[in-house]
Amino acid sequence: MDSCPVQLAACGCVSALGDAAETHAALLRGERALALQPVHGALGGDPVPLALLPGRNLDEESPPSWLPAVRRLMGACPDRPWGDRRHPVFVTSSNFGVGNLFAFRHNGELSHLNYGTPEACVAFIARELGWGGCITIISHACVSSNLGLVLAARQVASGIADEALVFTFDFLSPFVAGGFHALKILNSEYPAPYQAQAIGSIGLGDGAAFAVLRKAGPGLIIAGQTLYNEMHHFTAFPADGSGFGACIEPLIHLASGRRIWIKGHGTGTLEAGRLEAEAFGRSFPGSPLVGWKGSLGHTLGSNGLVELALAVESLHSGRIPGTVGSAAPTFSANVALGPVMDPSFDGVLCASNAFGGAHAALLLCHA
Amino acid sequence: MADPLNSRIKTMIVQTLRLEGVDPASIKDDEPLIGTGLSIDSIDALELVVALEKEFGIKIRSSEESLAALSSVSGLVAFIRAKADPSRLPPV
């Protein structure tokens, strides 16, 4: 566990429902961004729940159709010489521009290769946003942005950097949707995180977010972060669920004396959802558990930071969106289906998980 | 008489998953396919499901249905007979 607190100086996100404030408000209203769309875009295929940025098609374009949304998002980022040695940038994604690589293979358009590898895609974004060369590229499936936050916090806490920027993005493509569809966990059902039912399913969503970290100061701090990797299998967790508990256990002491709620991972798959809900019920009894992927879909490598930005909105307003898309019965009694309106909470534990048994969690609270 | 679909599926399992040195006939009809002697895991299951969908024109809707279908060779035979267009199946 990293327990050097760092200040979350700025944070923002974009989802299919808008920016952080718009998305938070829509979640409070119980809106679902997911809509059934052909899994292979223009090529058709089974209808699956996807949450794309407004006006964006699933099929890749060149230049990428997500670029205007990224520009708008980063317009809210504090102006710094990002990418110099004292202001490093950590860029995280699970898919980068792999959809463009697929598009190139499909239609032969060379321009797609400008975004088709992690390096090319990040170089493109850096040029667009005017960053310098001190950029670290990180990809670790669906805990990618969590890993970026850990590494950025270490640089800030150690004094190597004055401030660090973490930027994360994952935008859907037929290639990505097709992969999850082949696994059958993306099917024609809408996700219902933590709901005990016969068939599990996920939805997928577009997402991008940023966070600026600096040494501890007033406002919100990330009090501690944990990573735990079971290295079990490409896709599966160990059946006993021990990794979920092992990841969050170090945060129990850090959270003691605080009144916290839990923002879980909650994709809508049955086994992982049950194990996660039960682990939180054991370790944090009395803390309500919510998950937002039943509305936003799983934004893959960006989910940790996208949902952190929404947790910030929730902490500031004292209004926590519920687990949109789910209904009783749930896997554990701590799952909050509806919004929780309570300004007395002073912290939130945010968790994300990834294929193979990679777990990540952090405690966000008032300084 | 043995169901010819049974031996066809066993051969598909060996070929699709490239199980070197495994005689298709040695796969037991009622032994669980996942987590036992063949060591089939979720990635193997994905490959197998894709091959079965292509071969028999069936649709498997969810990972839970996929796991149920892959319970055993006998279970798979029953599942395919129930779901596939009979014209794509060998007669019993």
Side-chain angles (χ1 to χ4, degrees):
Chain A
M1 181 178 79
D2 280 24
S3 57
C4 290
V6 292
Q7 183 189 8
L8 184 60
C11 192
C13 76
V14 62
S15 78
L17 293 174
D19 65 16
E22 292 164 341
T23 301
H24 178 250
L27 288 175
L28 284 170
R29 293 192 297 268
E31 287 182 21
R32 182 166 61 193
L34 293 164
L36 295 179
Q37 305 184 47
V39 65
H40 297 130
L43 295 176
D46 291 342
V48 296
L50 305 176
L52 303 175
L53 297 182
R56 202 179 83 79
N57 292 320
L58 183 60
D59 298 277
E60 290 295 350
E61 295 173 16
S62 178
S65 56
W66 41 258
L67 183 58
V70 166
R71 282 204 192 106
R72 273 197 304 277
L73 168 69
M74 297 311 287
C77 178
D79 190 18
R80 302 283 190 277
W82 296 119
D84 78 9
R85 295 181 70 82
R86 300 298 298 175
H87 299 83
V89 179
F90 297 82
V91 182
T92 83
S93 178
S94 63
N95 293 294
F96 297 93
V98 70
N100 287 99
L101 197 59
F102 178 75
F104 165 71
R105 295 293 296 261
H106 188 68
N107 62 24
E109 272 186 39
L110 284 171
S111 64
H112 283 297
L113 295 180
N114 293 333
Y115 335 99
T117 64
E119 291 79 6
C121 196
V122 172
F124 167 72
I125 291 171
R127 283 194 301 275
E128 288 290 326
L129 299 178
W131 295 339
C134 191
I135 298 173
T136 303
I137 302 173
I138 297 163
S139 188
H140 192 15
C142 299
V143 295
S144 294
S145 62
N146 306 78
L147 195 53
L149 285 168
V150 168
L151 295 178
R154 285 179 184 172
Q155 292 220 356
V156 167
S158 66
I160 293 173
D162 295 329
E163 292 178 307
L165 170 64
V166 183
F167 171 72
T168 186
F169 68 108
D170 263 301
F171 297 100
L172 301 176
S173 65
F175 181 84
V176 171
F180 284 92
H181 181 250
L183 280 169
K184 307 296 180 191
I185 56 176
L186 177 66
N187 52 53
S188 295
E189 302 293 324
Y190 283 104
Y194 308 124
Q195 182 176 327
Q197 55 182 351
I199 292 177
S201 58
I202 68 168
L204 295 177
D206 283 340
F210 75 87
V212 174
L213 305 185
R214 68 163 76 112
K215 277 210 169 184
L220 292 175
I221 59 166
I222 297 175
Q225 303 189 69
T226 63
L227 297 170
Y228 185 84
N229 198 331
E230 299 167 296
M231 300 292 284
H232 180 67
H233 183 267
F234 286 124
T235 61
F237 298 110
D240 66 0
S242 55
F244 291 87
C247 181
I248 58 179
E249 192 271 337
L251 294 172
I252 296 174
H253 175 69
L254 211 56
S256 67
R258 291 186 181 273
R259 188 150 183 273
I260 69 162
W261 52 282
I262 314 282
K263 193 291 298 171
H265 189 59
T267 60
T269 57
L270 297 185
E271 188 69 357
R274 180 178 62 78
L275 295 173
E276 186 193 13
E278 289 175 353
F280 282 124
R282 281 192 302 272
S283 298
F284 294 93
S287 291
L289 166 65
V290 300
W292 299 324
K293 295 183 177 69
S295 170
L296 305 178
H298 189 347
T299 65
L300 303 172
S302 76
N303 87 90
L305 191 41
V306 168
E307 294 174 8
L308 177 64
L310 300 173
V312 168
E313 294 286 331
S314 304
L315 260 187
H316 281 318
S317 66
R319 298 181 301 159
I320 306 161
T323 306
V324 178
S326 297
T330 54
F331 288 124
S332 61
N334 52 334
V335 176
L337 295 172
V340 180
M341 306 298 195
D342 187 342
S344 70
F345 284 105
D346 62 353
V348 52
L349 190 153
C350 296
S352 293
N353 306 299
F355 273 160
H359 306 269
L362 64 81
L363 180 64
L364 177 74
C365 52
H366 297 289
Chain B
M1 194 179 82
D3 186 344
L5 181 58
N6 181 296
S7 56
R8 188 161 151 196
I9 284 175
K10 289 178 179 177
T11 301
M12 272 188 75
I13 291 171
V14 170
Q15 290 177 344
T16 303
L17 305 183
R18 297 172 290 281
L19 301 175
E20 290 178 15
V22 175
D23 176 3
S26 71
I27 300 174
K28 296 189 175 105
D29 290 347
D30 296 317
E31 188 174 62
L33 287 174
I34 295 178
T36 54
L38 293 176
S39 297
I40 292 177
D41 64 17
S42 57
I43 298 296
D44 297 323
L46 164 63
E47 288 194 58
L48 199 50
V49 164
V50 169
L52 291 167
E53 286 183 331
K54 199 176 284 184
E55 177 79 8
F56 299 109
I58 57 172
K59 283 271 184 197
I60 297 180
R61 289 190 311 123
S62 66
S63 59
E64 286 74 23
E65 192 173 60
S66 167
L67 282 175
L70 296 177
S71 60
S72 64
V73 169
S74 296
L76 202 44
V77 168
F79 181 85
I80 291 170
R81 285 232 174 263
K83 295 267 185 180
D85 179 345
S87 67
R88 300 180 75 146
L89 299 176
V92 180

